[in-house]
């Protein structure tokens, strides 16, 4: 931010907080406290970032007050001309940014974007005399008998996605999620020795299972994916390839992932969140080829309520930012920093799932330290290092306690951290892990949750973090009065 913009943001936020405090001072207080906490901690949560003041401010307007169910020029509410403008600009930026044929910017979150994509694939692919009904512009015209027929035809379809403990997301067919209930699902994993995707095994599973939907993408896989290969597999078995790029959309937008690593030219449908490495507001998008566009457009009202117009406006601002040259530099730095972080761990003898990274995240296996992921996460938090615990492949501690912690570089890269700082971050984390012991249960056994962090370590780590954080302030120049 330039000095002028910092001054403007400082006064805008200070005044906004005054207005909020006049109604509910505790919310103004919590908002100030959140900024102070975010400024003072090492944020390594792989799915988080810091959106720009322009993106954040765009969300705080009267667009929040407008209902606009439907699509541009075809709304179920009157007076949507300005929402039409906002949605059209956001979709245009998204198409240009990702080189997509079609962009749908209404989903409220990543989960919603995946629901829209599932619906779209079912409506588009499952052939039958009811197809026109499934794609009806006005779903209110469908009778109970139509719905009965739709349920019979649309149910019982097959989905193949990456398993949760290999790094997939729960919306990719995990049993407790609706995706695991509405589809017959099977999962592909990673090689037990290397932790890497084995495309021959994915292909063999797809040949045997013959899914309607093949889902690629991940939340905790620290490597790139060859989407050209995934498309070959999908084509061979007649599946639709859906890629969920929620985590790495920033690396696609910033042209770090190109060719076979860019999902957009290879997938039929691509979904994403907008708030992780892409650094926009919280929300989702769906990109699709022209053939899927009509069914994606039925997202609202089929599985979504009224679009969040203020968030669509903020998506437009974030996409405009991501189209600037500087975003490419940012995205490359995110990937370079992840490599520095991984090397920092490896030189200090710490185990990493797959032995490294080539995207924005690192998955540390903490078993060697005699800890669960939960203990590691809590001990690190005590030292001001914010991470989240995560399963490792075939995790002996299950999905609750886990044996890993997942770390990502997008947020601290936004603050300006580079190679040396990420090496220091690895050092700080190793300091905490090697000075933490498991606690004991009430019955005297070894706890999987409680821990004992040696005296002085948290202070030492906080002091070293503060030196780096002070050098790279969050929202530099933004002062709240
Ligand atoms: N898809 C993937 C791959 C994710 O990692 C996530 C969130 O963590 C989601 C979807 C869901 O996003 P949201 O939390 O916005 O619903």
């Amino acid at each position: 931010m330039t000095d002028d913009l910092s001054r403007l943001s400082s006064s805008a936020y200070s005044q906004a907080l005054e207005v909020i405090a006049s109604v509910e001072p505790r919310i103004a207080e919590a908002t100030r406290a959140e900024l102070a906490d975010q400024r003072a901690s090492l944020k390594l949560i792989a799915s988080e970032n810091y959106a720009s003041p322009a993106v954040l401010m765009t969300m705080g307007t009267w667009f929040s007050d407008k209902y606009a169910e439907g699509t541009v020029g075809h709304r179920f509410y009157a007076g949507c001309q300005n929402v039409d403008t906002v949605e059209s600009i956001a979709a245009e930026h998204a198409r240009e940014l990702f080189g997509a044929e079609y962009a749908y910017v209404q989903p409220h979150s990543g989960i919603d974007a995946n629901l829209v994509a599932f619906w779209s694939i079912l409506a588009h692919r499952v052939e039958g005399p009811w197809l026109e009904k499934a794609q009806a512009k006005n779903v209110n015209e469908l009778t109970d008998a139509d719905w009965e027929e739709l349920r019979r035809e649309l149910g019982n379809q097959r989905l193949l996605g990456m398993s949760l403990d290999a790094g997939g997301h729960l919306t990719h067919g995990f049993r407790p999620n609706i995706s695991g209930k509405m589809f017959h699902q099977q999962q592909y994993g990673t090689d037990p020795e290397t932790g890497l995707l084995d495309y021959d095994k994915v292909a063999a599973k797809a040949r045997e299972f013959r899914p309607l939907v093949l889902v690629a993408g991940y939340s905790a896989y620290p490597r790139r994916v060859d989407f050209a290969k995934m498309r070959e597999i999908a084509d061979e078995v007649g599946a639709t390839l859906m890629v969920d790029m929620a985590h790495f959309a920033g690396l696609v937008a910033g042209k770090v992932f190109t060719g076979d690593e860019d999902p957009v030219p290879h997938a039929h449908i691509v979904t994403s969140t907008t708030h992780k490495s892409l650094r926009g507001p919280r929300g989702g998008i769906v990109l699709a080829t022209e053939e899927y566009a009509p069914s994606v457009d039925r997202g609202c009202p089929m599985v979504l309520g009224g679009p969040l117009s203020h968030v669509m406006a903020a998506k437009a601002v974030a996409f405009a930012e991501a189209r600037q040259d500087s975003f490419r530099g940012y995205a490359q730095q995110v990937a370079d920093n992840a490599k520095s972080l991984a090397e920092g761990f490896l030189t200090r003898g710490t185990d990493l799932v797959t032995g490294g990274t080539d995207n924005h995240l690192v998955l540390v296996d903490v078993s060697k330290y005699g800890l669960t992921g939960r203990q590691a996460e809590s001990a690190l938090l005590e030292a001001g290092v914010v991470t989240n615990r995560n399963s490792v492949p075939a995790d002996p501690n299950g999905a609750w306690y886990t044996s890993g912690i997942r770390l990502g570089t997008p947020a601290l890269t936004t603050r300006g951290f580079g190679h040396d700082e990420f090496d220091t971050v690895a050092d700080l984390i190793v300091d905490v892990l090697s000075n933490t012991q498991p606690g004991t249960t009430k019955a005297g056994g070894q706890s999987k949750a409680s821990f004992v962090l040696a005296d002085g370590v948290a202070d030492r780590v906080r002091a070293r973090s503060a030196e780096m954080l002070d050098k790279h302030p969050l929202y530099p120049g933004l002062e709240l009065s």
Side-chain angles (χ1 to χ4, degrees):
M1 270 200 305
T2 62
D3 287 352
D4 278 355
L5 280 178
S6 297
R7 205 168 20 80
L8 280 176
S9 306
S10 300
S11 100
Y13 278 118
S14 296
Q15 289 172 26
L17 286 170
E18 243 178 77
V19 175
I20 296 166
S22 72
V23 181
E24 177 45 287
R26 289 173 301 175
I27 294 297
E29 197 49 39
T31 308
R32 285 174 188 276
E34 181 60 23
L35 178 61
D37 287 354
Q38 293 208 19
R39 281 181 155 164
S41 56
L42 277 184
K43 171 146 80 161
L44 288 157
I45 298 208
S47 47
E48 293 185 5
N49 211 326
Y50 304 106
S52 71
V55 168
L56 297 179
M57 281 181 184
T58 310
M59 282 187 282
T61 78
W62 25 95
F63 269 121
S64 170
D65 299 330
K66 190 76 196 93
Y67 246 108
E69 284 180 24
T71 48
V72 174
H74 185 85
R75 305 282 184 189
F76 292 87
Y77 284 80
C80 295
Q81 59 283 0
N82 298 312
V83 179
D84 280 356
T85 303
V86 158
E87 184 169 349
S88 303
I89 294 172
E92 177 194 302
H93 276 312
R95 284 194 306 274
E96 293 293 325
L97 179 62
F98 293 108
E101 288 175 19
Y102 175 78
Y104 185 65
V105 296
Q106 292 193 15
H108 308 166
S109 71
I111 260 190
D112 284 357
N114 286 349
L115 276 179
V116 171
F118 291 145
W119 158 252
S120 166
I121 295 166
L122 290 171
H124 183 72
R125 288 289 311 279
V126 186
E127 290 175 8
W130 50 271
L131 190 62
E132 270 177 35
K133 289 177 195 160
Q135 295 182 341
K137 273 217 154 98
N138 187 353
V139 289
N140 297 331
E141 284 168 9
L142 299 185
T143 63
D144 284 352
D146 290 334
W147 279 111
E148 183 63 40
E149 197 184 338
L150 276 167
R151 268 195 296 275
R152 208 174 38 247
E153 297 294 336
L154 290 178
N156 303 318
Q157 302 297 329
R158 289 185 294 271
L159 176 144
L160 179 61
M162 192 180 207
S163 69
L164 204 60
D165 77 345
H169 189 251
L170 53 100
T171 53
H172 301 177
F174 187 51
R175 270 267 171 251
N177 180 258
I178 188 167
S179 59
K181 307 228 184 282
M182 68 192 269
F183 290 102
H184 288 297
Q185 56 79 34
Q186 282 197 14
Q187 312 267 284
Y188 58 86
T190 45
D191 183 88
E193 295 296 313
T194 63
L196 297 172
L197 260 178
D198 178 337
Y199 295 94
D200 291 340
K201 285 208 178 121
V202 178
K205 193 140 217 182
R207 273 180 215 121
E208 188 190 310
F209 185 48
R210 303 203 79 78
L212 177 83
V213 193
L214 174 63
V215 183
Y218 52 79
S219 299
Y221 179 66
R223 296 289 174 177
R224 300 184 187 194
V225 174
D226 183 335
F227 295 111
K229 272 203 186 123
M230 294 304 269
R231 176 61 186 258
E232 263 173 44
I233 296 170
D235 283 348
E236 187 191 328
V237 300
T240 294
L241 177 62
M242 168 179 156
V243 177
D244 178 351
M245 64 170 182
H247 257 264
F248 53 90
L251 301 187
V252 178
K255 309 293 176 224
V256 176
F257 291 0
T258 56
D260 294 349
E261 293 164 357
D262 176 353
V264 180
H266 302 293
H268 299 93
I269 293 205
V270 176
T271 59
S272 185
T273 54
T274 46
H275 48 273
K276 304 185 204 270
S277 55
L278 194 50
R279 211 165 60 182
R282 301 198 77 81
I285 48 168
V286 180
L287 307 174
T289 53
E290 286 293 354
E291 64 174 324
Y292 284 86
S295 48
V296 169
D297 254 352
R298 302 279 89 75
C300 165
M302 186 53 77
V303 292
L304 300 176
L308 310 178
S309 306
H310 56 310
V311 181
M312 290 197 295
K315 287 174 188 171
V317 174
F319 298 155
E321 288 178 348
R323 290 183 67 191
Q324 293 170 4
D325 286 345
S326 56
F327 194 84
R328 289 192 183 199
Y330 164 70
Q332 188 57 53
Q333 194 63 51
V334 165
D336 292 348
N337 283 343
K339 281 227 180 304
S340 305
L341 182 63
E343 278 157 22
F345 281 121
L346 294 172
T347 53
R348 290 170 178 86
T350 302
D351 292 336
L352 301 182
V353 173
T354 79
T357 178
D358 49 31
N359 56 20
H360 64 296
L361 68 87
V362 171
L363 193 53
V364 179
D365 185 335
V366 296
S367 324
K368 211 165 155 178
Y369 293 98
L371 302 170
T372 62
R374 175 143 180 214
Q375 288 161 327
E377 175 193 86
S378 307
L380 285 164
L381 188 63
E382 199 169 303
V385 184
V386 189
T387 65
N388 69 288
R389 63 187 186 277
N390 209 100
S391 305
V392 300
D395 200 311
N397 286 319
W400 180 248
Y401 293 108
T402 80
S403 303
I405 47 167
R406 186 186 65 162
L407 312 170
T409 54
L412 289 180
T413 304
T414 295
R415 281 186 80 147
F417 276 47
H419 169 83
D420 292 352
E421 281 96 353
F422 272 100
D423 184 63
T424 305
V425 168
D427 196 47
L428 298 181
I429 291 175
V430 169
D431 192 6
V432 172
L433 297 180
S434 49
N435 285 296
T436 304
Q437 302 289 328
T440 40
T441 61
K442 279 191 191 133
Q446 186 168 308
S447 169
K448 287 188 171 196
S450 66
F451 64 95
V452 182
L453 177 60
D455 284 348
V457 178
D459 288 344
R460 176 165 80 214
V461 168
R462 278 181 188 277
R464 289 182 67 199
S465 298
E467 274 175 35
M468 294 190 289
L469 293 167
D470 289 349
K471 254 192 244 158
H472 300 288
L474 174 60
Y475 304 124
L478 196 162
E479 302 293 339
L480 297 182
S481 59

